[in-house]
Amino acid sequence: MLALSAASYLLTNEKFYIANSKFGQGLFAKKDIRVGENILIFTGGIIDFDQAILKAPPYEGDALQIGKSIYVNLEPPGRFVNHSCDPNAGIKNDIELVALRNIKAGEEIYFDYSTTMDEDYWSLQCGCGSINCRKVIKDFKHLPYHVKRKYLDLNIVQKFIAVQYPTTAKAK
């Protein structure tokens, strides 16, 4: 399989672009993206918890937790996906960003960082401005019950976190 560099990936991608955001830089839809559509695959080297917490600003929050002490050291473009307490995208299969609803061209793409966090170490003041803003981004376990259930039912919680919660899925 031929791997594209991050720069090549950005130049050839038809779904999104990087632009200024209220959070610095963000990922924006280049065209309309349909609900359920794959947006990107997060890429980067695998690092552990100790390496993740040693990252220097402004990259200290760029590690995506995919296991109890396993992280992806995010590269562009994934590094530019910002947080929202009312996200339009979510992560499936630990590294696939998918649309949770239809996303219009020009709209910033967000996921809820809490769906990937379970280390009791990192938190951040939230400035998403959503009507549902929780004011502080923290581990999944701290989310309100109804938010946890929603994210678990959407299958957008990292697998290592989701297995800690009983399923409400109906038998098929």
Side-chain angles (χ1 to χ4, degrees):
M1 182 173 167
L2 183 61
L4 289 174
S5 71
S8 297
Y9 186 53
L10 288 172
L11 291 174
T12 61
N13 192 286
E14 295 184 11
K15 290 186 183 177
F16 56 78
Y17 60 95
I18 295 169
N20 289 333
S21 162
K22 65 181 176 181
F23 301 112
Q25 290 188 298
L27 200 71
F28 292 80
K30 191 181 283 187
K31 64 177 190 112
D32 290 350
I33 300 172
R34 294 181 321 275
V35 63
E37 190 173 339
N38 185 297
I39 299 169
L40 68 82
I41 303 292
F42 289 98
T43 60
I46 301 299
I47 59 175
D48 65 18
F49 175 76
D50 292 333
Q51 292 168 306
I53 64 173
L54 289 175
K55 291 179 60 128
Y59 303 111
E60 67 272 15
D62 286 352
L64 174 69
Q65 191 175 10
I66 59 170
K68 196 62 183 161
S69 185
I70 304 168
Y71 297 76
V72 175
N73 190 20
L74 291 179
E75 301 172 328
R79 171 181 291 159
F80 298 108
V81 184
N82 289 312
H83 165 86
S84 176
C85 295
D86 189 19
N88 55 14
I91 299 176
K92 293 195 175 198
N93 302 315
D94 294 334
I95 58 169
E96 298 173 28
L97 188 68
V98 299
L100 297 178
R101 62 170 174 76
N102 292 330
I103 301 171
K104 297 281 186 200
E107 187 177 346
E108 187 165 2
I109 300 167
Y110 302 102
F111 77 94
D112 189 330
Y113 290 175
S114 294
T115 61
T116 67
M117 295 169 44
D118 187 38
E119 77 259 312
D120 287 319
Y121 179 80
W122 189 81
S123 68
L124 176 72
Q125 290 300 120
C126 185
C128 75
S130 160
I131 192 168
N132 300 314
C133 184
R134 298 183 305 269
K135 309 299 183 221
V136 178
I137 304 164
K138 336 186 231 191
D139 287 1
F140 183 79
K141 66 182 146 230
H142 300 294
L143 292 174
Y145 177 81
H146 72 281
V147 176
K148 282 192 256 191
R149 285 283 26 118
K150 173 184 168 185
Y151 289 160
L152 288 163
D153 290 346
L154 288 169
N155 194 28
I156 58 165
V157 178
Q158 298 297 58
K159 292 175 194 170
F160 81 98
I161 298 171
V163 298
Q164 300 172 51
Y165 296 85
T167 184
T168 59
K170 295 178 176 59
K172 294 183 181 182

